[in-house]
Amino acid sequence: MGKGRLERIYLKRFKGGPMDEVSQAKLIRGQGLAGNADQKGKRQVTLLEKERWEDLMKALGADLDPSIRRANLLVSGISLTNSRQKILKLGDARLCIYGETKPCEQMDKALLGLKDLMFDDWGGGAFAEVLDDGEIYVGNDIIWENPE
């Protein structure tokens, strides 16, 4: 579980609304991303692996933008699989991974078969709670604070 990179940041304007790609954002402790519709609870930020998305697209013979997944952060170079309770350092901030994000019916609306293919083995990514305030930028290094 080595060092990775923050590839993209997406903010959701409202529930079910479009995902806006931004180059930087602010993480707010106990809330999530400033300006994002989803706030509070344990599912403050959602993450998706770039490599996993590319594998899914290859398996389905498609080339959809990862924003279709509706995750806030697209990461590369790290595995989110079985990362529950691990702490991810991202710039000055830290995220605690609380679980696996299961895909919903919107995935099949985007591409038939995507939901089922994403369902197992953390294919839909992870969700996390923000532990520290901090500015994040596309290109930030990301590392596990407590790797095994």
Side-chain angles (χ1 to χ4, degrees):
M1 285 193 178
K3 183 170 100 172
R5 180 177 189 273
L6 179 57
E7 297 289 338
R8 294 189 189 178
I9 304 168
Y10 299 101
L11 299 177
K12 185 185 332 176
R13 291 182 224 171
F14 52 88
K15 184 175 173 74
M19 300 298 286
D20 297 320
E21 187 171 352
V22 297
S23 60
Q24 66 184 61
K26 181 175 179 148
L27 288 166
I28 302 170
R29 182 178 188 261
Q31 291 187 2
L33 283 159
N36 194 60
D38 297 326
Q39 299 280 315
K40 313 249 179 175
K42 299 290 184 197
R43 190 176 171 151
Q44 298 169 7
V45 177
T46 52
L47 302 96
L48 178 68
E49 292 174 44
K50 178 182 176 191
E51 296 86 354
R52 192 64 171 273
W53 182 257
E54 290 170 348
D55 289 346
L56 291 165
M57 291 299 99
K58 186 176 179 181
L60 292 169
D63 187 25
L64 297 177
D65 190 271
S67 65
I68 295 296
R69 176 61 190 109
R70 306 186 58 72
N72 298 119
L73 307 177
L74 182 68
V75 300
S76 66
I78 63 162
S79 173
L80 297 171
T81 302
N82 297 320
S83 59
R84 187 174 280 114
Q85 297 302 314
K86 296 199 179 306
I87 307 295
L88 190 64
K89 291 185 71 159
L90 176 58
D92 294 330
R94 294 176 311 143
L95 304 175
C96 180
I97 305 295
Y98 274 101
E100 177 181 3
T101 306
K102 290 295 189 181
C104 67
E105 64 281 347
Q106 288 187 4
M107 295 305 97
D108 275 349
K109 287 179 184 174
L111 179 63
L112 192 60
L114 183 57
K115 178 183 173 187
D116 287 343
L117 203 56
M118 294 178 89
F119 201 81
D120 293 326
D121 199 29
W122 296 67
F127 64 93
E129 179 180 24
V130 180
L131 299 178
D132 305 303
D133 291 350
E135 294 287 332
I136 58 172
Y137 303 88
V138 169
N140 274 139
D141 287 339
I142 51 178
I143 60 168
W144 293 108
E145 182 176 274
N146 50 353
E148 290 183 359

